[in-house]
Amino acid sequence: MYGTHKSVLLAECLDWLVGRDQDGLILADLTFGAGGHSCAMAKLSKCEKLYAFDQDPDALAHGREKLKTNNLTDKVELLDSNFVHFAQKIASDVLFDGVLLDLGVSSHQFDTGERGFSFRFEGPLDMRMNPRDDHVQTASDIINSWEASDLELIFREYGEEKYARRIAQKIAEVRAESPIKTTKDLEDIIFHCYPKAERFAGKKPAAKVFQALRIAVNRELEVLEKVVDQIVPRLKMGGRLAIISFHSLEDRIVKQAFKKYEAHEEFPVVILTKKPVLPTESEILDNSRARSAKLRVIERIAMRRSKNKYPSRTVKE
Ligand SMILES: C[S@@+](CC[C@H](N)C(=O)[O-])C[C@H]1O[C@@H](n2cnc3c(N)ncnc32)[C@H](O)[C@@H]1O
């Protein structure tokens, strides 16, 4: 049973990606999830074709049914793939009017205990978005086999966890006795690494380490960096790329990648959102997962004439 997922910044995404007066739009949604954004875009008569990606078997199975129920199977091609293979999966002559990425994990992944994403439930330390992929290290592989110094590094870099060293050392101590198997076992270790005064203040102590592990397992930052370089050259003139990020590490990558293309010789873009678009108070009240969302959008523009290519001539008298 696939859980419900409330699409974040849905109206804003529709507005920025498909709000213009155009027909025959070719679109892509690289993070299909529960299909909220995809179906809303594909249902528009101006959408001719939408290519969707997901790597989660639950999302794909649920998605295929949802597309059938909504009579969208002819319009939407749902691809079973990590979006990092975008350029390989989409024929090279297909150019896009709009591409969306709504990063991170879905509510279904978070709320399904056996996937191991959340310490709210007892579950195995898995955290793979594609649990069929045996080439991907699980959170358990990382926790039970990486050097303490490497664990410290990911807790610090991907989780911005201030007790990274203490937690990594404790993990190494505990696993020397017996492997750390479940989400609750790991949560308990982290909880006791926090000073007593901070254990119940603010976010749950385990939140940052769990975020770090999820990012490491799914190489979330690496695939994000790689995919932007595959998408921008495949935007039509006037085509747009919209990315929703959920934490500062992702947002930094999006911001830097967009800046790079603003000054790009071959594939220049304009940044349409000088400041990120944020959810309204009422969206956050309705869906707490939206609270950290940031939407940034770029648009492909015609190639600039570089000064070197067209040097000004000095006319001899
Ligand atoms: C936040 S949810 C998307 C929700 C969707 N926009 C909706 O409205 O229902 C993210 C989805 O993207 C998928 N995903 C994340 N990273 C991915 C990647 N690198 N390749 C393919 N799918 C990915 C996850 O499996 C998850 O189902």
Side-chain angles (χ1 to χ4, degrees):
M1 174 75 175
Y2 196 84
T4 49
H5 178 97
K6 290 183 181 169
S7 299
V8 170
L9 291 165
L10 179 61
E12 291 81 353
C13 287
L14 291 177
D15 210 22
W16 284 99
L17 279 178
V18 293
R20 291 163 293 166
D21 213 2
Q22 266 175 299
D23 267 334
L25 297 179
I26 308 294
L27 304 168
D29 175 358
L30 303 198
T31 49
F32 182 83
H37 290 100
S38 277
C39 290
M41 291 194 282
K43 276 179 187 166
L44 301 171
S45 58
K46 60 173 117 175
C47 170
E48 186 178 314
K49 176 96 195 165
L50 186 140
Y51 296 86
F53 283 66
D54 210 296
Q55 59 177 337
D56 182 311
D58 295 350
L60 292 162
H62 168 261
R64 291 200 179 100
E65 288 307 312
K66 184 165 181 169
L67 293 175
K68 263 193 228 156
T69 325
N70 286 279
N71 285 325
L72 289 171
T73 40
D74 290 345
K75 252 193 195 181
V76 181
E77 189 170 333
L78 181 53
L79 297 151
D80 174 0
S81 170
N82 190 309
F83 62 58
V84 77
H85 305 303
F86 175 81
Q88 278 160 255
K89 293 280 173 186
I90 305 282
S92 59
D93 56 349
V94 179
L95 296 179
F96 289 89
D97 296 286
V99 179
L100 173 69
L101 279 97
D102 172 18
L103 297 169
V105 289
S106 62
S107 303
H108 172 80
Q109 288 164 331
F110 256 133
D111 298 341
T112 308
E114 55 283 16
R115 302 295 297 270
F117 285 100
S118 172
F119 49 85
R120 284 180 294 134
F121 312 100
E122 176 75 310
L125 283 167
D126 190 324
M127 299 198 193
R128 288 169 298 170
M129 286 190 202
N130 178 0
R132 292 168 310 191
D133 190 345
D134 291 333
H135 301 295
V136 174
Q137 286 195 315
T138 63
S140 171
D141 296 332
I142 293 178
I143 285 293
N144 288 299
S145 72
W146 283 22
E147 296 286 338
S149 56
D150 292 332
L151 291 178
E152 179 186 339
L153 195 75
I154 59 163
F155 297 164
R156 201 181 300 289
E157 297 222 330
Y158 297 164
E160 295 168 330
E161 170 55 68
K162 65 179 169 174
Y163 299 114
R165 173 164 303 171
R166 195 187 288 182
I167 296 168
Q169 283 171 351
K170 190 69 191 170
I171 287 171
E173 223 178 276
V174 174
R175 75 188 185 195
E177 299 293 320
S178 74
I180 300 163
K181 288 199 175 130
T182 72
T183 48
K184 286 288 180 195
D185 291 344
L186 181 60
E187 186 200 13
D188 191 56
I189 294 168
I190 301 164
F191 181 80
H192 288 99
C193 288
Y194 262 59
K196 280 197 175 119
E198 290 179 43
R199 287 179 189 168
F200 296 100
K203 271 191 176 177
K204 294 270 171 97
K208 292 175 170 180
V209 166
F210 271 66
Q211 172 182 299
L213 277 170
R214 197 199 87 199
I215 292 175
V217 166
N218 298 291
R219 298 175 183 267
E220 290 179 32
L221 304 181
E222 201 179 309
V223 295
L224 173 59
E225 269 173 352
K226 286 187 177 159
V227 78
V228 175
D229 287 336
Q230 298 175 39
I231 297 165
V232 177
R234 305 288 293 278
L235 292 176
K236 292 181 188 170
M237 248 4 109
R240 292 181 176 182
L241 165 61
I243 305 185
I244 306 173
S245 64
F246 288 88
H247 54 76
S248 57
L249 302 165
E250 280 172 349
D251 188 51
R252 195 176 312 145
I253 292 174
V254 175
K255 229 163 50 182
Q256 283 170 358
F258 283 7
K259 266 231 139 341
K260 175 177 101 179
Y261 281 100
E262 205 181 15
H264 204 274
E265 286 265 311
E266 211 178 342
F267 306 112
V269 303
V270 277
I271 298 174
L272 299 178
T273 47
K274 294 297 170 211
K275 289 209 167 128
V277 178
L278 306 178
T280 58
E281 284 292 317
S282 71
E283 178 170 1
I284 297 171
L285 274 178
D286 180 50
N287 177 14
S288 64
R289 207 186 148 260
R291 70 189 176 280
S292 41
K294 286 185 177 163
L295 168 69
R296 295 184 187 271
V297 188
I298 50 175
E299 179 177 306
R300 181 79 197 281
I301 54 171
M303 204 148 83
R304 293 191 181 93
R305 292 185 169 191
S306 99
K307 281 183 189 147
N308 297 337
K309 276 189 189 157
Y310 303 97
S312 58
R313 293 199 193 137
T314 38
V315 183
K316 281 186 183 163
E317 296 288 308

